[in-house]
Amino acid sequence: MTFTVLTFLYWVALLLVTLAALTSAAIAFKLHRQLYAVAAIAGLAVALVLAAVPVGPGPSAFGIVLGMLALALAVIGGGPVAVLALDLATNNSVPPGQHGGIMVLNAGKPAPTMAGLSDPETHEVLRGGVTIGILERLAVAGAILAGFPEAIAVVVAIKGVGRFTELAAAESRERFIIGTLSSLTWACACAALVPMALV
């Protein structure tokens, strides 16, 4: 009886911590506040530590709920986490575009400035990054949860081929690599919660 109660309490704690991380991630996604992205990262770290505790599987309903929370956390939280990683790496040195991309220089022109967003010497690359990131994390986390992690290679290949022509500028290559790696790492960590907890 004691083991059953402890197992139940463990699963409730794991679900609550994951839900708290998801809430922080949703606020960070909506309000674009880095503090909430950091809170989501901390929540995921605590959830991963809890999931690593060998308590044993709980009721199947808890596993299903954890899977749904982990998938939602992977999809929603990856955007703010990627933005946080990009801000830390680039220190806002590249001006943003109007459609979610960045402004880069046309060949042989001087560097764009924040005030020169409509400068004819610049153009926007990596447009639609938010939507692509959501789909990418959904596919990656879904592949892991479905037990088919090999599909991650397909996702990365599709993204790389689709963005290949936009990677001529050093700024876009740097942003692509940092954004993709942080997004993929986040999605994999979120999806790992479920198999870790169910072992």
Side-chain angles (χ1 to χ4, degrees), residues 91-98 101-106 109-124 171:
N91 199 21
N92 292 323
S93 60
V94 180
Q98 295 178 349
I102 59 169
M103 300 303 293
V104 296
L105 211 27
N106 295 333
K109 304 290 182 184
T113 62
M114 293 298 281
L117 292 179
S118 60
D119 188 342
E121 297 178 347
T122 63
H123 65 284
E124 187 173 0
E171 301 93 341

Side-chain angles (χ1 to χ4, degrees), residues 6-28:
L6 288 177
T7 302
F8 178 79
L9 292 175
Y10 161 81
W11 275 93
V12 169
L14 180 58
L15 291 174
L16 287 175
V17 169
T18 308
L19 182 60
L22 176 58
T23 303
S24 296
I27 294 170

Side-chain angles (χ1 to χ4, degrees), residues 17-85:
V17 169
T18 308
L19 182 60
L22 176 58
T23 303
S24 296
I27 294 170
F29 186 83
K30 181 73 174 168
L31 301 180
H32 306 288
R33 300 274 170 86
Q34 290 184 349
L35 179 62
Y36 290 103
V38 172
I41 294 168
L44 176 61
V46 171
L48 286 169
V49 169
L50 280 174
V53 175
V55 173
S60 59
F62 284 179
I64 293 168
V65 172
L66 181 63
M68 292 188 310
L69 288 174
L71 188 61
L73 181 59
V75 172
I76 294 170
V81 168
V83 169
L84 177 62

